Amino acid sequence: MSHPVFVVTGAPNKGKSTFIKAMTNDESVVVREQARTTTSAKPYPFKIERAIGGKIDWETCFTLWDTPGFENAAEMHEILTEWGIRESDHPIELIRKFLETYAGHSDFVYELEIFKPIAGYACIIYVADCSKPFRKSEYLWEMELIKFTRLPRIAVLNPVDGDRHLESWRSGLTDYFNNIKVFNPHETTFDEKLRILGAFSHLTDEWEEPLNKVIGALKMQREKVLEECARIIRKTILQIFDREFSVRYDGIRDEEEHRVELVSQVREFVHKTMDDTQREITHRFGLQIDVAFDREFDDNDLFDTTVRRKNLSVHQRALINVMVGGGIGAAVDVAAGGLTFGLFTTALGVGGGLAAYFKEISPMDLVKIGSYDPDEERIQIDSLSPELGLLVINRLRQVVAVLYNRTAANTETVVIRKDLDLADLQNLGSLLKKMAVSRKDRYSEKNKQKLLDYIHEKLKEDRTVVKVEAT
Amino acid sequence: MEGTRYNEHSRLEILTGLSLIDTGTIPEDRIREYRQFGFRLGREHSGAGSVSRLQKVGAWYQTFMPGHIKERAKTVTGYLRLISILVGIMAFVTGAGAAGYLFYYDGTAPVNVLPVLTLFAFLPLLLLLLSAGYVWIGSRSSGHLPPIFRWIEGPVRSRIRKAVEDISGKADHSLKSELSGLRSNATEIWLVHSEPVRYFLKQNLQLAGTAYLTGALLWMLFNVITTDLAFSWSSTLEVEGEALYSFTQIISAPWARIVPSAVVDFNMVEATRYYRADRGDFQVASSGRWWPFIFMTILVYGFFPKALAFAWYRWRFIRTSDQAILASDSGSQIIGFMEDLLVTTKGDDDNNSAARAGISPERPVESSVNCVVLFWGLGGTDPSRIQNVLNRKVIFARHIGGLNTSEEDRNILLDSARLSQNSSHCDILVLIPYEESPTIRLEKKLHLLAGNSQSRIIIMPVIEERSRNCQANEINWRTRVDQINEAFGRKRVSLDTRNIIDSSHLTGVT
């Protein structure tokens, strides 16, 4: 056999296809809540790019076979036991005989599909749902059949709905499998996937080396994807800073109205560019998952200076205002020797507090308006605030961090609910300031490389430090 | 009790009403009333033989069926009945009209016997024989559609199924659930309601045929009595009088001894041959003597077979309606409610406490309905504990599947089938682990059961705890039960999701 082959088996509706989807990130694997979604055995080869014979080509590293669930293991076991096995024969020969004898038999329609690839001396992965109770009478015969094959086998416990019965499953499977692992395809991480592959590599000496190679290649591939993501984010920042925004000058309107229109242009462009970037990043990870920012947060916060004020809520700001205003008022009252009867303390305290509610924080600060061009009769934006760049980087970092550990098995939309603290990117502030203002600085190779390195470094950090608040 | 009697009109009405009511939304206190009612019904009839399940449903319908559903059911059945009556009247008028045309005699050309017999006796008989052959062919294969449509039935159904599956694949859980419900309803209509509907249609067709021939016979009698009819026989073909005579002898064989006057003799046949161009030997005097023969031929070969067919289809309609009432989801639920909820409820515990406290309990006496209980898999459960959970008398409880061999299972299943057959009103309850999906192994056992017992087979879910996956599995089980019933060609197995048993009751572990 040229590469490792694993046959994924188990009772119906226990997440065999989901497991394969998570391991291979193959979107063509059909996963449904209904039983009997998989009715025939189907191979899913896992391929990576390799230089083969002087050209880059896809190489199959290992194959996972998706199979239907066991539906009549008891009777199949009964027949095999009845036939008996000679000492000299490998049980697979008996299974082959069964496949020939019962070909097309409706009682064993699914067992025939399951054992077709197993008859080629593949390793067996038995998937079970450890959120359901372990009833030996329910699973005994399929486990006996797997044991009967004498092939290397591993059990993967999938806590679909919690791991309440994990221990009973562990003790129930011990006699039947060489190794037992817990793996949740929906909530797995990239490292977890590598760990499972590592466990597969220990099943047989023959496959240890190829699977270790796969693990190494996957790690390298991921590194490459991270670097590509850093490049994509840098490209987005430069695109946003590079864009020229202008509005036709209208003598009837005042400056503020022109600014509002300009800001809305910036908002629209930034949103669109970020959407495109998210899609590109998702594609780089080989996934087809939607990424969204929480609606309220998305519409308001990107241009809202509350973000820049370390995410203070309006009440928190009011409290600070009361304290600051009250403090100043108190100082005045003290200076007046108490003749003002604490009037300033009260007035400034209350006034400051109320101001937090009535004074709308303007997003206009992110836009520095430029001069009026009399020839074109247009007002244009001189430059965007570097903080806008920091915000965009922070958001896209979160997208990368979530997708890094996502598998195709989890198709739920990623919804990011909160911005990261801008202080996390403080070292980037001065660089972005220069790049936001000056086109020359923006296209300086040195600055570009510096920005890329910084983003890449952050993306690598984010792999291990969970900062993302997303569902 | 008045409510326990119903004619076939109300039978149709009950069936329609049951298809309109959603028993899943009936509140617990209402169900409790049904139980009391069922209990009283049993007690009132204890001296005069037990009340049949059908009578129970009839009585329930009269007493509890919501007024608006009753009204709708009445309207639907009223329209059906009206259509039957109109079809009958139209057929009668058509028969009389056809007879008026064929028996028309103005003294010139006599009435030709041959078209009269063809239209009123041989053609209806031929059609009836064809339909009997058709029924025979139909009975040799499964399905409800006529054989000619069955060629396209398979591809059409598989396409519909695939389309539904495609939609299901993309749909969210609630839509999936609705689709599954829709599919389940369609199967219910297909397996339960289609058969009485088929017989209802056939019954009406035969009724129309009978009315047609009645109209023809009455008109003929009217003509015979009120006018002087002359009959002859005439054909373009060179038919010999002897041949026709032999033919009439064969036809009149059934009544030759009983009504000899309705048998024609050779002389009369010879004397009543008629040629349009040349009247030949036609003797007007003999020509009136044909009428008893014609009358008897229409009666024996037209009217009687049609009337018998009508009676047969009507009886089949009644039978299948009764079966449908009991087999329908709503009907079986109602029976379940009236024969005590299958599973002990909190209300019963309250009643037990009340009884212990000396307060007269409202709880009905223990149900007289028996049941055989089979535990599918469910290792770790104790069959002897089932009596604590069910409000029915358990006459047999065993594990099947699981660690059993096929032979052991087979023996248990055959014993269960035999016991359920020997005991009246005995259901077979198959307890299944609801967290697991249905399998071919279980399907085979159900087939064996259904093949050896006519009792209701009810699949009852056992769960360890209610989890989100149970909902998904409800769709799996429901779909599979539908498929099993489709394979049977009628509804034999039902899934009772109202009576879900907590496995801790069966293991003693809480």
Side-chain angles (χ1 to χ4, degrees):
Chain A
M1 197 169 290
S2 58
H3 62 267
V5 177
F6 300 93
V7 180
V8 182
T9 63
N13 226 19
K14 300 294 176 219
K16 296 179 288 298
S17 301
T18 313
F19 172 76
I20 289 175
K21 199 165 188 173
M23 292 304 288
T24 58
N25 269 357
D26 190 332
E27 293 288 347
S28 70
V29 182
V30 183
V31 174
R32 284 186 196 155
E33 278 187 357
Q34 275 80 9
R36 283 190 183 172
T37 300
T38 310
T39 51
S40 58
K42 192 178 173 193
Y44 290 95
F46 184 88
K47 295 175 179 177
I48 52 173
E49 273 183 337
R50 280 273 171 84
I52 303 167
K55 61 171 187 169
I56 301 291
D57 212 342
W58 290 103
E59 187 195 2
T60 301
C61 300
F62 64 92
T63 299
L64 289 171
W65 277 83
D66 194 10
T67 62
F70 285 103
E71 294 224 8
N72 201 4
E75 283 187 30
M76 180 173 171
H77 186 268
E78 238 175 78
I79 292 166
L80 290 176
T81 317
E82 211 172 279
W83 282 353
I85 184 164
R86 282 181 306 194
E87 281 296 315
S88 55
D89 285 347
H90 193 283
I92 288 297
E93 298 307 318
L94 208 60
I95 283 172
R96 283 182 176 162
K97 183 181 160 193
F98 181 90
L99 295 179
E100 278 170 25
T101 313
Y102 286 91
H105 199 293
S106 60
D107 284 0
F108 301 107
V109 60
Y110 297 118
E111 276 66 24
L112 293 171
E113 287 295 322
I114 297 167
F115 282 92
K116 224 186 289 173
I118 290 177
Y121 290 92
C123 281
I124 301 172
I125 300 169
Y126 179 75
V127 177
D129 177 2
C130 62
S131 60
K132 311 263 177 69
F134 174 73
R135 293 194 176 96
K136 193 170 182 179
S137 59
E138 196 69 39
Y139 306 108
L140 177 78
W141 300 116
E142 56 203 49
M143 295 193 302
E144 284 287 346
L145 269 183
I146 290 171
K147 193 177 175 184
F148 177 86
T149 62
R150 287 196 222 146
L151 293 172
R153 51 200 180 272
I154 184 170
V156 174
L157 296 175
N158 178 9
V160 175
D161 202 15
D163 57 0
R164 293 182 293 285
H165 304 284
L166 180 61
E167 283 319 308
S168 61
W169 272 98
R170 267 191 207 282
S171 57
L173 297 179
T174 311
D175 295 340
Y176 294 92
F177 295 94
N178 309 78
N179 199 349
I180 300 163
K181 291 280 171 201
V182 180
F183 180 76
N184 187 339
H186 283 108
E187 291 167 16
T188 188
T189 61
F190 179 67
D191 290 341
E192 192 66 17
K193 264 172 71 171
L194 296 185
R195 191 178 65 84
I196 288 287
L197 274 179
F200 293 172
S201 74
H202 296 136
L203 280 177
T204 155
D205 294 342
E206 190 191 344
W207 289 347
E208 190 167 353
E209 198 192 326
L211 281 173
N212 281 339
K213 268 188 191 167
V214 172
I215 293 169
L218 278 174
K219 278 183 181 167
M220 267 177 60
Q221 207 180 41
R222 263 299 135 123
E223 288 301 322
K224 222 170 110 188
V225 170
L226 270 195
E227 200 182 325
E228 279 174 16
C229 287
R231 279 181 200 284
I232 293 166
I233 295 174
R234 183 184 68 173
K235 186 184 80 185
T236 306
I237 299 295
L238 294 178
Q239 257 178 5
I240 292 171
F241 284 161
D242 238 12
R243 177 83 172 189
E244 286 178 359
F245 302 94
S246 68
V247 288
R248 176 170 287 281
Y249 177 71
D250 182 353
I252 301 165
R253 296 194 298 177
D254 62 12
E255 188 190 326
E256 191 64 16
E257 284 173 300
H258 286 107
R259 281 166 70 98
V260 168
E261 202 181 327
L262 278 168
V263 168
S264 117
Q265 268 189 27
V266 177
R267 186 191 294 260
E268 199 180 313
F269 179 73
V270 171
H271 278 198
K272 191 189 165 298
T273 314
M274 281 182 70
D275 283 349
D276 292 345
T277 309
Q278 283 158 19
R279 266 194 293 277
E280 209 174 335
I281 291 172
T282 316
H283 178 71
R284 281 287 184 283
F285 279 102
L287 297 168
Q288 289 175 10
I289 298 166
D290 290 329
V291 181
F293 294 101
D294 192 41
R295 179 180 283 273
E296 203 177 320
F297 153 76
D298 189 27
D299 287 349
N300 303 323
D301 287 13
L302 186 61
F303 290 88
D304 195 326
T305 40
T306 50
V307 179
R308 292 182 295 140
R309 295 193 181 192
K310 300 196 188 326
N311 296 328
L312 292 180
S313 71
V314 68
H315 305 296
Q316 286 167 328
R317 286 204 317 273
L319 188 66
I320 291 169
N321 285 2
V322 167
M323 285 164 68
V324 174
I328 295 167
V332 174
D333 285 333
V334 169
L339 291 172
T340 48
F341 301 104
L343 220 65
F344 281 93
T345 312
T346 316
L348 291 179
V350 171
L354 289 176
Y357 291 99
F358 290 109
K359 166 89 175 73
E360 239 182 68
I361 291 169
S362 166
M364 304 304 172
D365 298 349
L366 293 174
V367 173
K368 191 179 172 191
I369 202 152
S371 51
Y372 167 61
D373 181 349
D375 294 337
E376 294 285 331
E377 289 189 343
R378 294 186 80 82
I379 290 182
Q380 58 202 23
I381 286 179
D382 218 19
S383 67
L384 295 173
S385 161
E387 281 170 348
L388 184 62
L390 295 179
L391 283 168
V392 170
I393 292 174
N394 258 353
R395 291 199 172 182
L396 295 174
R397 266 173 71 192
Q398 296 195 74
V399 174
V400 175
V402 173
L403 295 181
Y404 184 85
N405 286 318
R406 264 293 178 107
T407 66
N410 187 353
T411 52
E412 281 172 31
T413 304
V414 177
V415 182
I416 292 168
R417 305 205 174 278
K418 204 180 166 200
D419 267 323
L420 298 176
D421 191 347
L422 285 190
D424 201 34
L425 296 176
Q426 56 185 341
N427 295 339
L428 203 58
S430 57
L431 176 65
L432 273 189
K433 199 170 181 179
K434 279 194 279 180
M435 293 178 92
V437 175
S438 151
R439 194 179 175 81
K440 192 182 147 201
D441 282 326
R442 227 167 15 243
Y443 285 96
S444 136
E445 277 308 315
K446 194 179 144 199
N447 284 348
K448 274 171 70 181
Q449 188 59 42
K450 217 167 147 184
L451 180 61
L452 179 69
D453 291 345
Y454 194 87
I455 296 171
H456 190 198
E457 211 46 50
K458 282 290 164 195
L459 295 185
K460 284 201 274 189
E461 263 177 42
D462 294 341
R463 282 186 306 195
T464 46
V465 186
V466 180
K467 296 174 184 170
V468 181
E469 200 168 301
T471 49
Chain B
M1 177 171 277
E2 196 185 313
T4 58
R5 289 200 312 269
Y6 57 89
N7 55 29
E8 91 283 355
H9 179 209
S10 59
R11 179 180 282 113
L12 194 60
E13 190 185 314
I14 290 169
L15 196 58
T16 315
L18 287 175
S19 69
L20 294 172
I21 192 170
D22 180 6
T23 48
T25 55
I26 298 171
E28 286 297 328
D29 53 343
R30 197 72 177 145
I31 292 169
R32 210 169 161 67
E33 277 183 51
Y34 300 169
R35 295 170 62 188
Q36 297 296 339
F37 180 73
F39 165 60
R40 281 202 304 275
L41 213 61
R43 201 166 49 184
E44 282 167 19
H45 286 74
S46 56
S50 62
V51 184
S52 75
R53 280 179 166 161
L54 212 56
Q55 285 172 314
K56 279 184 184 175
V57 178
W60 175 89
Y61 183 86
Q62 301 289 353
T63 318
F64 291 107
M65 181 59 96
H68 68 281
I69 294 181
K70 254 187 191 170
E71 279 308 309
R72 278 176 66 190
K74 255 190 192 137
T75 311
V76 171
T77 45
Y79 276 124
L80 287 172
R81 206 163 172 74
L82 183 68
I83 290 167
S84 303
I85 292 168
L86 286 177
V87 166
I89 292 171
M90 279 166 66
F92 182 86
V93 172
T94 312
Y101 174 73
L102 288 173
F103 290 115
Y104 180 74
Y105 176 57
D106 60 357
T108 52
V111 176
N112 192 352
V113 172
L114 298 182
V116 169
L117 294 182
T118 307
L119 196 67
F120 293 134
F122 304 133
L123 199 61
L125 184 67
L126 181 71
L127 288 174
L128 197 65
L129 289 174
L130 281 176
S131 84
Y134 192 68
V135 168
W136 181 74
I137 295 168
S139 68
R140 286 164 63 87
S141 56
S142 62
H144 295 277
L145 287 179
I148 194 161
F149 293 117
R150 233 168 272 151
W151 297 328
I152 56 167
E153 181 192 358
V156 168
R157 290 187 71 190
S158 69
R159 266 164 204 275
I160 292 171
R161 184 170 292 167
K162 193 176 175 306
V164 170
E165 276 171 8
D166 285 349
I167 297 168
S168 298
K170 292 167 196 158
D172 61 7
H173 186 80
S174 63
L175 185 57
K176 270 180 203 166
S177 184
E178 274 183 32
L179 279 171
S180 144
L182 197 69
R183 192 179 181 284
S184 192
N185 286 345
T187 312
E188 167 93 358
I189 289 168
W190 179 255
L191 295 175
V192 176
H193 295 267
S194 70
E195 212 167 352
V197 168
R198 203 156 50 103
Y199 283 115
F200 182 76
L201 286 174
K202 287 184 172 178
Q203 169 197 302
N204 280 321
L205 280 176
Q206 298 309 324
L207 175 74
T210 314
Y212 174 82
L213 292 167
T214 310
L217 280 173
L218 288 179
W219 192 259
M220 182 192 168
L221 275 181
F222 177 75
N223 267 0
V224 166
I225 295 164
T226 58
T227 59
D228 176 19
L229 284 179
F231 293 96
S232 66
W233 64 279
S234 177
S235 171
T236 316
L237 304 174
E238 286 298 319
V239 181
E240 290 298 320
E242 266 181 43
L244 184 67
Y245 171 71
S246 307
F247 184 60
T248 59
Q249 289 303 299
I250 295 166
I251 288 172
S252 55
W255 63 85
R257 284 170 189 271
I258 313 161
V259 195
S261 58
V263 181
V264 291
D265 55 51
F266 180 71
N267 292 335
M268 193 183 89
V269 172
E270 281 292 311
T272 54
R273 179 162 197 154
Y274 180 79
Y275 298 96
R276 277 177 199 260
D278 169 18
R279 292 177 63 143
D281 300 330
F282 182 72
Q283 293 171 19
V284 176
S286 317
S287 65
R289 281 165 46 209
W290 269 99
W291 85 262
F293 171 77
I294 297 168
F295 184 84
M296 285 306 287
T297 308
I298 296 173
L299 196 69
V300 172
Y301 294 102
F303 181 82
F304 282 160
K306 281 278 165 198
L308 279 174
F310 168 70
W312 162 254
Y313 285 131
R314 187 181 159 90
W315 180 73
R316 288 297 302 157
F317 165 69
I318 291 168
R319 276 290 304 257
T320 50
S321 298
D322 290 350
Q323 283 166 356
I325 287 170
L326 297 179
S328 67
D329 276 344
S330 309
S332 56
Q333 287 265 28
I334 299 294
I335 292 164
F337 297 152
M338 292 174 76
E339 290 178 349
D340 292 348
L341 269 182
L342 286 173
V343 177
T344 309
T345 61
K346 192 178 174 300
D348 298 321
D349 297 338
D350 291 345
N351 272 334
N352 289 338
S353 321
R356 276 196 299 276
I359 304 164
S360 172
E362 205 193 348
R363 185 172 186 267
V365 289
E366 194 166 284
S367 170
S368 58
V369 180
N370 297 330
C371 64
V372 166
V373 186
L374 297 170
F375 289 61
W376 172 250
L378 291 167
T381 53
D382 179 2
S384 67
R385 283 180 176 270
I386 189 67
Q387 190 64 80
N388 303 337
V389 182
L390 293 180
N391 280 332
R392 291 195 177 178
K393 192 177 168 197
V394 178
I395 56 170
F396 186 73
R398 289 284 189 283
H399 276 293
I400 54 165
L403 309 183
N404 291 4
T405 62
S406 305
E407 195 53 38
E408 285 166 345
D409 273 350
R410 191 180 159 74
N411 292 336
I412 294 171
L413 291 168
L414 291 177
D415 283 347
S416 308
R418 184 175 44 78
L419 285 166
S420 68
Q421 283 286 82
N422 294 345
S423 174
S424 63
H425 285 196
C426 184
D427 292 329
I428 300 174
L429 310 180
V430 182
L431 272 53
I432 50 105
Y434 212 20
E435 294 94 354
E436 303 300 335
S437 301
T439 59
I440 288 177
R441 192 181 178 204
L442 172 63
E443 278 173 26
K444 284 183 72 186
K445 315 289 174 200
L446 293 175
H447 274 274
L448 188 66
L449 269 181
N452 288 281
S453 170
Q454 290 306 309
S455 298
R456 292 194 306 170
I457 301 170
I458 303 170
I459 292 182
M460 293 185 68
V462 176
I463 57 163
E464 199 200 42
E465 53 206 66
R466 281 176 196 276
S467 64
R468 127 185 113 82
N469 277 3
C470 276
Q471 272 183 312
N473 263 348
E474 181 175 344
I475 297 174
N476 285 332
W477 279 99
R478 202 166 279 291
T479 310
R480 201 67 70 88
V481 166
D482 287 344
Q483 285 168 357
I484 291 170
N485 283 324
E486 277 175 29
F488 283 136
R490 64 199 175 105
K491 195 170 172 186
R492 290 302 323 277
V493 184
S494 55
L495 176 69
D496 184 356
T497 50
R498 189 181 261 273
N499 289 296
I500 295 178
I501 300 174
D502 190 330
S503 66
S504 63
H505 292 311
L506 304 175
T507 56
V509 180
T510 53

